[in-house]
Amino acid sequence: MSTSASSSLLTAKLPTFEEILEAAKETFRQNFGQEPELACCAPGRVNLIGEHVDYNDGYVLPMALPMVTVIVGGQRPGNEVDLITCCAGADDPKHVKFSLTDLQPSQKPKWANYVKGVIHSFMASVGVQLANGFRAVIVSNVPVGAGLSSSAAIEVATLTFLEHFTGHAVESDAERALICQKAEHKFVGMPCGIMDQMISVAGQKDFALKLDCRSLETFQIPFVAGEKDLVVLICNSDVRHELSDSEYPTRRKQCSEALKLMGLRSYRHATEGNLSDLKKTKCEEVLVKRARHVITEIKRTQDAAEALKNHDFAKMGELMTKSHMSLRDDFQVSCIELDVLVDAAINCSGVLGSRMTGGGFGGCTVTLLQQSAVDNVITTMREDFIKKFNKDAAKNIEFYICTPSQGARKVHL
């Protein structure tokens, strides 16, 4: 089941993969007067459980989405990159050129820094300078700013393109993810964890990915919810609070401070019993809350992976809801809009669990529910949102039904 063809007329109609690939090819023809030689794509992701623990040595359980970023391109003389984006939400200018011999982050456009950073990290990793420049067009149907990792999709699509363009393959999925993470750290200035890049690289159809964020070891967990007539429903709230960029580094710092006060080197060694030691230091209560979320979320994620293995979807849903409560109360990265949507969902018949997903302060919720309940749940979530806020606030809310999909890959032209 794709995002564009669901059992409900209430879900959003996103462009299909075929439509965005054709749009990329046509834009390439119109601007460069020739056919592209190569196409690659990489997906966005939704994290089922395991939020804000990827940078704390925890486990996460994301799945790759059918929404992808596509890049098509071909060689050009010299050492310049000639790049166009058709991605919604990208800042101007949409058409840029830059030299491969002097890759530097730019103030504008910010979207180009994702590509520049990956090129820079890729060349450093494989130990080669690109022999030729290239022309390329980027198109995506991953909603931007929704917490579905549109940034990682661009990074991983770019890396996959570079591997096929140069013939230099990166050694492992872990190294691919690290190259893209480094690009976001150094060229975008976002100290993200490794989850988004890893699932975009290594996702598989009909599997969730349990990722050990300390060792980068991955475990493919079968997730065929359709066998039980269940679906995953994503709600894009269209809320984007400006706090997200500033609060992310703050949360990382607070987690680190709490870990140090507990006398531990990693949250993987921490238990709820360590919270008593933390309280004895008479630290700020906020540090206890942050540590409690990380410790309990790591355990919830391990339990959720086992629940999926055992096809215990009721347990999986219960853990998802508990995760939201922890993110709301202890990590304090939810917001009233997401809380209203989650509360509306979990009070509906047929819903097993619901939570915010992504960095927080807006973005998306993810809900595990019975297929037959989809229309009622969507209607209830929208109506409750309107009651709390107003019709204008709800007019851009979108819903997508998704299944675990394939990770980064070359696309046949």
Side-chain angles (χ1 to χ4, degrees), residues 205-244:
K205 186 177 184 298
D206 294 329
F207 286 84
L209 185 77
K210 179 184 175 184
L211 168 64
D212 181 336
C213 297
R214 181 172 63 172
S215 68
L216 300 189
E217 188 177 6
T218 57
F219 308 86
Q220 299 289 348
I221 310 294
F223 183 32
V224 188
E227 292 179 351
K228 301 284 187 179
D229 293 321
L230 300 174
V231 294
V232 173
L233 177 68
I234 298 173
C235 173
N236 180 2
S237 70
D238 195 47
V239 173
R240 290 147 184 62
H241 290 294
E242 293 300 321
L243 283 170
S244 56

Side-chain angles (χ1 to χ4, degrees), residues 7-37:
S7 64
S8 173
L9 296 176
L10 301 177
T11 52
K13 178 85 173 175
L14 292 176
T16 65
F17 172 80
E18 291 76 18
E19 287 169 344
I20 63 171
L21 176 60
E22 186 53 44
K25 290 161 65 176
E26 183 59 28
T27 302
F28 192 91
R29 294 184 197 108
Q30 291 178 0
N31 284 272
F32 302 125
Q34 61 190 79
E35 292 290 328
E37 303 164 13

